[in-house]
Amino acid sequence: MKIATPSKAVTARLHQDLLGWFAAAARPLPWREGYLPYHVWVSEIMLQQTQMERGVTYFRRWIKRFPNIATLAAASEEEVLKEWEGLGYYSRARNLHAAAQCMVRDFAGQLPDSLPELLKLPGVGKYTARAIASIAFQQDYPVVDGNVERLFARLFAIDEPVKSPAAQSTIWALAEALLPSGQARQWNQALMEFGALLCGRAAPCCNLCPVTDLCESFQTGTAAMRPVTGEAQKGIVVNFVVAVIVAEQRIYVQQRPAGVRWASLWEFPGGHLEDGAPPAEAVIRAVQEETQFVIETQIPLPVVRHAYTKYRATLYPFLCHLPSPILPTLHTAQNYRWLPLPDLERLAFSAGHRQIISRLSKVSDLNRIAGLPE
Ligand code: SF4
């Protein structure tokens, strides 16, 4: 399906009305105060797969802890992951860290302002490089995110699935054609903000929209049918058993090795739960294989459910008592600690294991629950 390039008159109206709307309605986001390149870059990485409100909270905390590229580059990976804890997709934090070190090494501690150089930074792809070049450095590059895809699909009645190559090529061509010279910072944000706030995913607020007369979907009563998304992907179900092992009022945690999902984050030991296997038996086996600890008492803790990338995970946590003395030489993890519960706050865990910790915090006496003598 070929979409005609909007006429000069339509383009001028879109510029006037959407830029006017943005000037009046733009949210006062912290990275919009001065548009410092470091702030714009961090916000763009942080907001991938993160809701705005949550992103703003993390952004403020992050900037307080790492106020500039130099402090981020000098931090340890553990400190960086701790600040990111709870946001998920931890490769984003590692990429920020690696990119900051690259900027200190190769760009005198500054964010490069050319698109080819931005594209060389870890974690910076086509969208992010253009967002930084246009929003931080006011260069004339269009950007297309999910909000722009949805807005264009409705405005211009695009009927192919928005992620299909055909629709992507149409949407990027429209974004190029509509970009007002010298106003990329405001225009790109206006499109994304308009898509997020007015032409939203659930139901577009057409009654507040200044361009209903230009919107083909509104004119034909088909806004609810777009964007066409194609078949919804079902999540892959995965189940795990997890052991919170208590000995001498301390809890065993181990650090995930490099090169695996959630590398360097901390976790409780455990393993996959096969279909049909009783979790209480599986946890004993999993702990023995992973740590060689022979646990005895297992008390089921509330089940934790969480989703990440394409997975829907269910964690079956157990509070376990280790009766024999702690023998560090027996476990197989490269890095491990035995810590009192409050000290777990200092380490970075994945979201699922952090949920287990928050439930543990409600257990007033771990030793008693785990069956140890008081
Ligand atoms: S009229 Fe409705 S569907 Fe069309 S652009 Fe405006 S808000 Fe979106």
Side-chain angles (χ1 to χ4, degrees), residues 162-175:
V162 279
K163 296 296 182 192
S164 68
Q168 284 294 309
S169 137
T170 302
I171 290 168
W172 275 97
L174 284 165

Side-chain angles (χ1 to χ4, degrees), residues 274-278:
E274 303 298 334
D275 274 355

Side-chain angles (χ1 to χ4, degrees), residues 15-76:
H15 289 167
Q16 180 186 310
D17 290 350
L18 297 187
L19 285 169
W21 173 86
F22 183 65
R27 287 170 287 188
L29 301 172
W31 48 89
R32 288 180 178 160
E33 298 162 10
Y35 290 105
L36 294 177
Y38 173 60
H39 289 188
V40 172
W41 167 51
V42 170
S43 72
E44 287 297 339
I45 302 292
M46 213 166 242
L47 289 177
Q48 295 163 9
Q49 289 108 11
T50 301
Q51 288 178 333
M52 180 62 81
E53 205 178 317
R54 194 168 164 74
V56 168
T57 304
Y58 272 81
F59 176 87
R60 290 190 195 284
R61 215 175 67 188
W62 181 275
I63 294 300
K64 212 169 164 188
R65 174 66 188 79
F66 308 119
N68 50 42
I69 291 166
T71 48
L72 175 56
S76 69

Side-chain angles (χ1 to χ4, degrees), residues 14 18 150-156 194-195 197-200 203-219 222-224 226:
L14 288 172
L18 297 187
R150 182 171 56 255
L151 175 60
F152 281 8
R154 286 176 178 156
L155 266 178
F156 302 109
F194 194 90
L197 298 185
L198 270 199
C199 199
C205 305
C206 302
N207 56 331
L208 300 174
C209 178
V211 292
T212 48
D213 59 320
L214 303 179
C215 176
E216 291 186 41
S217 296
F218 181 82
Q219 293 299 322
T222 54
R226 300 191 179 94

Side-chain angles (χ1 to χ4, degrees), residues 245-251 320-322 324 326 338 367 372:
I245 303 173
V246 184
E248 297 173 2
Q249 297 191 312
R250 287 177 295 157
I251 296 171
C320 306
H321 167 215
L322 187 65
S324 51
I326 304 167
W338 285 96
N367 267 359
L372 282 169

